Amino acid sequence: MTKLIVAIDGPSGAGKGTVARAVAQALGAVHVDTGAMYRAVAWMALQEQHSLDDEAAIAAMAAQVHIEVEGGRVSIDGHDVTRAIRTPEIDGAAARVARLPRVREVLVARQRVYGERDSIVMEGRDIGTVVFPHAQVKIYLDASADERARRRAADDAHSGGQAGQAAVARSIAARDRADVTRAASPLMIAADAVYIDTTDMAVSEVVDRVIELVSGKTGDPLIGTRGLHRATRSHGG
Ligand code: DC
């Protein structure tokens, strides 16, 4: 069966997680959050007291640990870090380990394995450009800086954090800068990606738009209502 790969890239707070999860569910595909992989490695690097610039040590550690990110829970070597990786400290630490080319190499190789096994909706920064340059569907989700800060601050309030919107806006701006200016696989819009500005869109509108694009690519207008498995089978895939 041909595997479907939907790549969703974009800056933080653009809505990638919510959209990717909903699209995966509608398609019956596996949702993979690659940001969680960088976060889990950062968490482990801090646990093991590595300097966050020690590329060789962190890459070697990343190559040895078992990371699971499917289905909404995140674990690394058996530690459930689902909540522990959503802190301001890990925001900063993940951005630092994501700069290290050898760490990226290890994680990108694992991300490609997901795409060999299952049909996936994978979110990150370099999915359409580096991890799966031949993904059938590539989406770049964006939103204004103000709206992204507002969403992140709301998330934070939800999880009990104290960060005000101004602090969140500063942190997002710093991470945007780090993502876009780093030498290794910086955040950029793939030439063949569909750019969606979600600033004034409801989540359901964005999800519908992505499913419409998947339908267009697969030639199956009902793919979002009955899921991928039946759809691909009916194509003899
Ligand atoms: O999406 P996120 O905020 O959970 O990502 C955490 C960090 O990892 C962020 O600094 C961007 C980086 N990242 C990356 O460089 N490449 C990816 N494919 C996913 C995330």
Side-chain angles (χ1 to χ4, degrees):
M1 184 171 85
T2 316
K3 306 280 190 269
L4 175 73
I5 295 173
V6 179
I8 302 187
D9 291 303
S12 56
K16 297 187 302 288
T18 311
V19 170
R21 204 171 308 120
V23 169
Q25 188 170 10
L27 297 176
V30 174
H31 167 221
V32 185
D33 173 5
T34 62
M37 299 172 79
Y38 289 95
R39 287 172 180 274
V41 166
W43 180 87
M44 195 65 140
L46 292 176
Q47 289 291 307
E48 297 194 351
Q49 301 187 346
H50 292 299
S51 152
L52 294 177
D53 298 319
D54 191 341
E55 181 169 15
I58 299 176
M61 182 203 83
Q64 277 166 15
V65 290
H66 179 73
I67 305 173
E68 284 188 35
V69 293
E70 317 95 297
R73 301 215 68 80
V74 183
S75 72
I76 182 160
D77 264 2
H79 303 279
D80 185 328
V81 293
T82 311
R83 291 183 69 82
I85 59 170
R86 307 287 167 191
T87 66
E89 186 189 17
I90 300 293
D91 286 351
R96 287 182 63 187
V97 305
R99 284 186 359 222
L100 307 172
R102 286 163 65 188
V103 174
R104 301 196 69 87
E105 231 170 79
V106 170
L107 295 187
V108 166
R110 297 200 183 173
Q111 289 155 13
R112 289 185 177 141
V113 172
Y114 283 110
E116 285 161 18
R117 281 204 307 242
D118 291 297
S119 289
I120 56 172
V121 179
M122 184 173 278
E123 56 165 301
R125 302 292 189 289
D126 60 341
I127 312 306
T129 50
V130 174
V131 184
F132 290 114
H134 303 297
Q136 292 94 327
V137 181
K138 296 185 190 179
I139 312 286
Y140 188 96
L141 285 191
D142 207 352
S144 71
D146 279 354
E147 175 61 14
R148 292 190 289 118
R150 197 192 61 72
R151 291 178 191 168
R152 268 292 140 102
D155 265 8
D156 206 56
H158 188 69
S159 59
Q162 296 290 318
Q165 192 172 325
V168 173
R170 278 194 298 278
S171 145
I172 282 197
R175 289 209 291 147
D176 283 356
R177 232 175 359 258
D179 286 347
V180 171
T181 58
R182 68 166 179 246
S185 307
L187 173 63
M188 57 167 97
I189 308 175
D192 50 352
V194 175
Y195 179 93
I196 304 178
D197 181 344
T198 69
T199 307
D200 296 315
M201 290 173 81
V203 171
S204 60
E205 288 178 290
V206 183
V207 171
D208 288 351
R209 176 89 181 97
V210 174
I211 289 174
E212 204 179 279
L213 290 163
V214 174
S215 298
K217 284 286 179 173
T218 57
D220 185 336
L222 294 179
I223 198 160
T225 51
R226 66 183 179 197
L228 190 61
H229 298 306
R230 285 177 57 194
T232 40
R233 226 178 1 250
S234 74
H235 282 166

